[in-house]
């Protein structure tokens, strides 16, 4: 985005009727994060920025990004703070999406939620799987409840939402404030 790569710039375009406009950023560097978020605000590219720390793809996590980044708590906080600082004085909220963490032995979702809140994120979304699970297995909704109990900002639940009934069950079970529908939206018309 900061380099204004044509493909990336094309991905930032919206149809006139699309509102609100949301862009999701993947990043591993606070300075670049600040530049990208500032660009989104000053050029009115979106109404909302979501920081993606939930991607489980090995090419992303091997570089320390996506679901691997919250394990580096200080860097994670610096990146969230940079995005929030870049949007100060605007109406563009910054939200953060995370996973439980890399694997069952390295859970960071509670710290990530607290850090996101401390650094000024408007909300935190938890995909209730580890990076190791990818998109397989069953989402562990109890960890959404744990994040909800750990922070005061809104918590968005994600994982295994295939029907409207699933969404209602997640809210009832976890107490989350909203539900994020991911990959299953495309496979369930």
């Amino acid at each position: 985005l900061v380099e204004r790569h044509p493909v990336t710039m094309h991905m930032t375009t919206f149809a006139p009727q699309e509102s609100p406009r949301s862009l999701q950023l993947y990043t591993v560097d606070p300075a670049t994060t600040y530049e990208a978020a500032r660009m989104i605000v000053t050029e009115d590219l979106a109404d909302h920025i979501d920081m993606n720390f939930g991607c489980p793809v090995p090419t992303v996590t091997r570089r320390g990004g996506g679901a691997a980044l919250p394990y580096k708590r200080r860097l994670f906080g610096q990146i969230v703070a940079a995005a929030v600082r870049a949007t100060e004085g605007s109406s563009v909220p910054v939200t953060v999406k995370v996973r439980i963490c890399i694997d069952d032995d390295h859970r960071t979702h509670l710290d990530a939620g607290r850090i996101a809140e401390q650094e000024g994120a408007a909300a935190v979304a938890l995909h209730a799987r580890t990076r190791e699970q990818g998109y397989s297995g069953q989402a562990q909704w109890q960890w959404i409840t744990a994040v909800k109990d750990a922070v005061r900002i809104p918590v968005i639940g994600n994982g295994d939402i295939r029907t409207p009934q699933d969404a209602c069950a997640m809210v009832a079970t976890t107490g989350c404030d909203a539900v994020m529908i991911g990959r299953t939206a495309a496979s369930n018309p």
Side-chain angles (χ1 to χ4, degrees):
L1 183 65
V2 173
E3 295 172 357
R4 295 186 178 278
H5 189 278
V7 173
T8 302
M9 294 309 295
H10 177 72
M11 291 171 29
T12 68
T13 60
F14 294 89
Q17 70 274 18
E18 289 182 291
S19 180
R21 301 163 302 148
S22 183
L23 288 178
Q24 189 176 69
L25 294 180
Y26 153 77
T27 180
V28 294
D29 175 65
T32 306
T33 302
Y34 180 87
E35 289 181 51
R38 194 77 208 134
M39 181 178 166
I40 290 168
V41 170
T42 60
E43 297 180 23
D44 191 31
L45 298 178
D47 305 308
H48 164 245
I49 297 171
D50 185 53
M51 306 297 298
N52 184 359
F53 301 108
C55 182
V57 178
T59 55
V60 172
T61 57
R62 273 195 300 266
R63 295 179 187 161
L69 204 137
Y71 187 71
K72 302 171 191 166
R73 289 161 177 83
R74 186 171 51 220
L75 178 60
F76 173 75
Q78 291 169 343
I79 290 171
V80 174
V84 170
R85 196 171 57 253
T87 63
E88 285 177 355
S90 79
S91 61
V92 177
V94 174
T95 58
V96 173
K97 181 182 181 189
V98 299
R99 281 182 177 248
I100 297 168
C101 196
I102 299 168
D103 55 40
D104 282 327
D105 295 328
H106 299 94
R107 292 192 178 135
T108 57
H109 58 292
L110 296 178
D111 287 344
R114 290 181 189 118
I115 292 167
E117 177 178 55
Q118 177 183 329
E119 298 301 342
V124 62
L126 178 66
H127 184 154
R129 286 185 171 84
T130 65
R131 193 255 354 130
E132 189 175 62
Q133 283 181 283
Y135 300 103
S136 65
Q138 185 172 4
Q140 302 168 53
W141 288 2
Q142 71 271 20
W143 300 119
I144 298 168
T145 303
V147 173
K148 180 67 180 159
D149 291 343
V151 300
R152 293 179 305 279
I153 59 175
V155 173
I156 303 162
N158 179 233
D160 293 344
I161 304 299
R162 294 176 184 87
T163 67
Q165 294 78 13
D166 292 339
C168 291
M170 177 183 277
V171 171
T173 302
T174 68
C176 65
D177 300 287
V179 173
M180 178 183 289
I181 302 168
R183 300 169 71 85
T184 57
S187 61
N188 291 306

